[in-house]
Amino acid sequence: MAVKYELIKECKQSGARLGRLHTPHGTIETPIFMPVGTQATVKTMTPEELKEINAQIILSNTYHLYLRPGHELVEKAGGLHKFMNWNKPILTDSGGFQVFSLGDLRKISEEGVEFRSHIDGSKHFISPEKAIEIENALGADIIMAFDECAPYPADREYVKNSLERTTRWAKRCKEAHRNPDTQALFGIIQGGMYKDLREQSVAEITALDFPGYAVGGLSVGEPKPLMYEVLDYTTPLMPKDKARYLMGVGSPDCLIEGAIRGIDMFDCVLPTRIARNGTAMTSVGKVVIKNAKYTEDFGPLDPNCDCYTCRNYSRAYLRHLYKAGEILSGRLVSYHNLYFLLNLMKDVREAIKADCLLDFRKEFFERYGYDL
Ligand code: PRF
Ligand code: ZN
């Protein structure tokens, strides 16, 4: 088996899990946040910088790499790790979610999804078998099954059909997978916001016995309390001896709430995307660096952060870079935001160790507020 999850302990106060995920490219301490490197790069960050801030695993996207530069090219380069000079663990998402996000540009059938490229409009078809072929060529440590993520809101009938198709596709993915000894294929649970459908999906997907499981179909526009409610009844049904990954979730409050509900892995473009728009996540809440109030603020971006950006640059300088359209602005704020989230997860792991994650949540929310 390519990956093995080791449960170290559960927080006595919250039930959150402290664990380790052993992969062919090293061991990951969980709960963990995975920076997103959609196109074989975490935008603006070099692999050396990612290592400096203790990123343990990054995520990349099948859909994007298939379209450009092509999975055959990445395979020729020696695989994704070698191609992008990152020798730590990588997870690839299957393209299911990205393709479904294309809206009018795609057509779903039992066989797979036909879509037009967002780059040049060319026609393509991705089936579960094709998604796995691409993921096998890319060579990530963890690969995701090809699923259908229902939109929100969606009626019961629609969600039921899409979760049942996701199960049939998961079976086809498992059969198509060529490298189970070096790449772990994770199953994805769907079922929208319906309790009985989530139960059905967990039962069907876990029956296929994957080495890990993701909760998909959340953070798709529903209110946060609804997402927490779905997690409340979904995670207790998932096997305790396998990693649990909440897909596309990455605001600080959701990371803490997810960990409390037994999630081990998270990913999100939020920290890097908002960084390029000049927004920082800090220990005292959101800082929108373009605001005039920072014009003469010569203090650090986050008074409680010791990252490279906060040790060396002021809010006034970062504001100037942003206003002047300088590339360094996006780099420095991305560096800080990722450092902040990775550090938050480290604090979460420490709080689980000390059985006080609910106390930690209270303190964090009092300081941070609820604004992201
Ligand atoms: N499925 C896949 N990738 C995803 C999602 C999903 O449901 C989500 C949902 N937030 C993000 N990324 N394959
Ligand atoms: Zn910082």
Side-chain angles (χ1 to χ4, degrees):
M1 208 187 270
V3 311
K4 172 115 194 64
Y5 176 75
E6 179 193 351
L7 178 60
I8 296 170
K9 71 163 285 186
E10 288 171 304
C11 172
K12 291 202 177 79
Q13 199 177 53
S14 67
R17 292 145 55 92
L18 184 73
R20 286 193 199 106
L21 190 62
H22 304 281
T23 85
H25 287 84
T27 295
I28 301 154
E29 314 235 11
T30 61
I32 189 62
F33 175 78
M34 304 184 278
V36 176
T38 297
Q39 312 205 68
T41 166
V42 176
K43 290 192 195 304
T44 80
M45 298 282 291
T46 65
E48 286 71 22
E49 288 165 338
L50 289 169
K51 280 176 198 166
E52 220 168 75
I53 61 174
N54 294 317
Q56 302 186 56
I57 173 170
I58 61 171
L59 175 146
S60 202
N61 285 106
T62 301
Y63 164 80
H64 293 83
L65 296 177
Y66 156 75
L67 286 178
R68 184 175 58 193
H71 54 294
E72 290 102 342
L73 183 103
V74 176
E75 190 170 33
K76 253 188 219 160
L80 189 51
H81 291 88
K82 188 143 182 258
F83 186 52
M84 68 179 291
N85 186 35
W86 173 257
N87 59 12
K88 285 172 179 281
I90 302 178
L91 178 152
T92 46
D93 196 358
S94 56
F97 185 68
Q98 284 70 34
V99 167
F100 289 109
S101 306
L102 291 173
D104 294 346
L105 294 174
R106 55 134 173 88
K107 215 166 73 199
I108 312 168
S109 66
E110 184 61 22
E111 191 44 34
V113 184
E114 187 186 275
F115 62 97
R116 280 187 184 279
S117 159
H118 71 284
I119 301 166
D120 62 5
S122 56
K123 241 192 206 174
H124 299 266
F125 187 79
I126 293 191
S127 60
E129 291 78 12
K130 185 73 191 177
I132 296 300
E133 179 198 319
I134 301 166
E135 293 192 279
N136 281 166
L138 297 173
D141 302 80
I142 300 171
I143 67 178
M144 302 306 298
F146 192 65
D147 61 327
E148 183 183 347
C149 174
Y152 176 81
D155 62 57
R156 243 191 86 79
E157 176 82 355
Y158 182 101
V159 176
K160 188 168 164 67
N161 284 331
S162 96
L163 94 79
E164 289 174 353
R165 175 173 285 156
T166 292
T167 300
R168 292 190 296 274
W169 284 2
K171 251 181 231 156
R172 286 167 55 185
C173 285
K174 201 175 164 179
E175 280 159 19
H177 186 20
R178 294 285 159 262
N179 314 320
D181 296 335
T182 51
Q183 298 186 280
L185 171 63
F186 279 23
I188 304 177
I189 291 152
Q190 293 290 347
M193 312 300 156
Y194 300 95
K195 183 160 189 269
D196 59 321
L197 298 185
R198 283 283 169 184
E199 286 164 359
Q200 180 185 344
S201 184
V202 175
E204 291 179 2
I205 297 293
T206 57
L208 296 173
D209 192 26
F210 288 102
Y213 297 97
V215 181
L218 290 178
S219 197
V220 287
E222 78 282 12
K224 285 178 182 180
L226 182 53
M227 176 174 90
Y228 302 152
E229 192 187 313
V230 174
L231 288 175
D232 279 333
Y233 55 66
T234 302
T235 51
L237 306 172
M238 297 169 73
K240 281 200 155 197
D241 60 345
K242 306 275 175 74
R244 304 162 175 179
Y245 162 29
L246 178 56
M247 308 189 82
V249 165
S251 62
D253 51 343
C254 291
L255 295 178
I256 297 171
E257 297 289 356
I260 286 172
R261 288 161 178 82
I263 296 293
D264 309 304
M265 304 161 71
F266 304 85
D267 80 281
C268 196
V269 296
L270 188 72
T272 39
R273 178 170 293 164
I274 67 174
R276 298 192 303 280
N277 295 323
T279 299
M281 300 167 163
T282 80
S283 62
V284 291
K286 181 164 86 169
V287 171
V288 181
I289 203 65
K290 66 167 168 268
N291 285 352
K293 65 178 171 185
Y294 302 122
T295 308
E296 297 187 13
D297 186 339
F298 300 111
L301 190 52
D302 183 341
N304 300 307
C305 181
D306 59 358
C307 85
Y308 170 76
T309 300
C310 293
R311 277 188 285 110
N312 294 290
Y313 305 96
S314 65
R315 288 175 172 178
Y317 179 65
L318 292 169
R319 175 173 187 272
H320 157 69
L321 290 182
Y322 181 81
K323 299 279 286 183
E326 286 292 340
I327 285 171
L328 188 58
S329 160
R331 266 173 61 64
L332 292 175
V333 182
S334 291
Y335 189 102
H336 163 82
N337 281 354
L338 287 176
Y339 184 94
F340 177 78
L341 282 192
L342 292 167
N343 235 37
L344 171 63
M345 296 315 285
K346 187 164 174 252
D347 290 345
V348 165
R349 293 194 297 272
E350 294 296 325
I352 297 172
K353 244 179 245 173
D355 293 309
C356 63
L357 187 55
L358 297 184
D359 299 339
F360 175 83
R361 171 176 67 179
K362 185 164 178 289
E363 281 163 37
F364 183 85
F365 283 178
E366 277 167 11
R367 247 189 305 131
Y368 192 90
Y370 292 86
D371 58 356
L372 260 177

